[in-house]
Amino acid sequence: MELLDKLNWRYAAKAMNGEKVSQEKIDNIIEAARLAPTSSGLQPFEILVITNQEIKEKIRPFAWNQSMITDCSHLLVFAAWDTYTEDRINTAFDLVNEVRGFKNEGWEAYRQKLLSFYPQQDAEINFNHAAKQAYIAFSAAIIAAAYEGVDTTPIEGFEPEAVDKILGLREKGLRSCVLLPIGYRDTENDWLVNLKKVRKSTEDLVTVIE
């Protein structure tokens, strides 16, 4: 299967060569993330696509000085909602009604259920839930990039507060949760490039309950 071949090819690139990724490929990767499933379809996150080299240079010291931050073609920052609010939930439900062109009684009842639950929760609990949804889209972007023959490096090793400040995220009700440099591997300077991919066996990973 072509997709599995691509996933066997991909790895977390530890060095990138600065080559630019075509806009078409970037658009496809972003679209895959946009189409990813999320809890209640709320999509409680935004994706910042950074090509500005100065901003990437500012972020790098707060991401363990990893070279991929500045040597990538595009740096994606997945930023989750800092909490769920009535406005955010209503906006998501209103969009569904607008796109589908009708209101559904069951869907409206579900809206009220969420409105009675999420806004009353602690903001940190809500953020952690929203961040999990961002990770689903993050995974979709990684898979799409592999399909496009483009390298990525999932990065959790960074200081979110610093990145939030650089990008002005807190003022927008957002908090960064994961970074994704996109580009092409530097085969001469990446120590990981020729090492065999290691994963658990299917038998160790999967339990089938019939």
Side-chain angles (χ1 to χ4, degrees):
M1 181 180 178
E2 183 181 3
L3 178 58
L4 294 183
D5 290 339
K6 296 284 190 179
L7 293 179
N8 273 299
W9 167 83
R10 73 145 300 277
Y11 74 110
K14 301 303 180 186
M16 292 186 174
N17 62 14
E19 181 182 347
K20 294 301 180 183
V21 177
S22 72
Q23 190 60 49
E24 180 182 5
K25 290 179 181 291
I26 293 296
D27 290 345
N28 290 340
I29 293 166
I30 296 298
E31 182 66 0
R34 189 183 73 87
L35 294 174
T38 58
S39 179
S40 302
L42 294 178
Q43 293 181 290
F45 58 89
E46 294 184 18
I47 304 170
L48 288 81
V49 183
I50 301 171
T51 57
N52 184 292
Q53 195 64 23
E54 183 179 346
I55 294 177
K56 290 193 287 183
E57 294 282 355
K58 288 181 179 179
I59 291 174
R60 178 169 170 169
F62 300 104
W64 296 0
N65 201 37
Q66 296 177 81
S67 64
M68 301 82 70
I69 296 292
T70 50
D71 295 341
C72 67
S73 172
H74 294 67
L75 175 63
L76 270 55
V77 178
F78 287 75
W81 290 353
D82 56 1
T83 191
Y84 290 101
T85 65
E86 290 187 2
D87 283 345
R88 283 171 160 171
I89 293 171
N90 281 325
T91 297
F93 275 76
D94 289 346
L95 176 62
V96 172
N97 291 340
E98 178 185 345
V99 171
R100 292 178 176 169
F102 65 89
K103 288 187 176 182
N104 176 278
E105 182 178 344
W107 184 241
E108 290 303 316
Y110 188 60
R111 180 206 296 254
Q112 295 306 316
K113 182 177 180 180
L114 295 191
L115 288 172
S116 69
F117 177 70
Y118 280 120
Q120 285 69 46
Q121 283 201 136
D122 180 78
E124 191 66 21
I125 293 175
N126 283 341
F127 165 70
N128 288 332
H129 183 270
K132 290 178 181 178
Q133 312 315 306
Y135 268 85
I136 298 172
F138 173 73
S139 296
I142 293 171
I143 294 169
Y147 188 81
E148 295 287 345
V150 175
D151 289 296
T152 57
T153 308
I155 294 180
E156 290 184 303
F158 71 101
E159 299 177 34
E161 296 84 359
V163 171
D164 292 352
K165 185 174 182 180
I166 292 169
L167 299 176
L169 296 180
R170 296 299 176 101
E171 294 84 351
K172 300 175 182 178
L174 299 169
R175 294 170 58 182
S176 57
C177 53
V178 66
L179 310 180
L180 189 65
I182 296 177
Y184 293 102
R185 63 190 67 176
D186 182 350
T187 56
E188 294 184 0
N189 295 297
D190 190 341
W191 60 270
L192 189 56
V193 66
N194 292 318
L195 296 183
K196 190 172 183 179
K197 183 187 288 288
V198 180
R199 294 291 187 272
K200 289 181 179 180
S201 68
T202 303
E203 292 74 19
D204 288 339
L205 182 66
V206 178
T207 298
V208 178
I209 302 175
E210 297 180 335

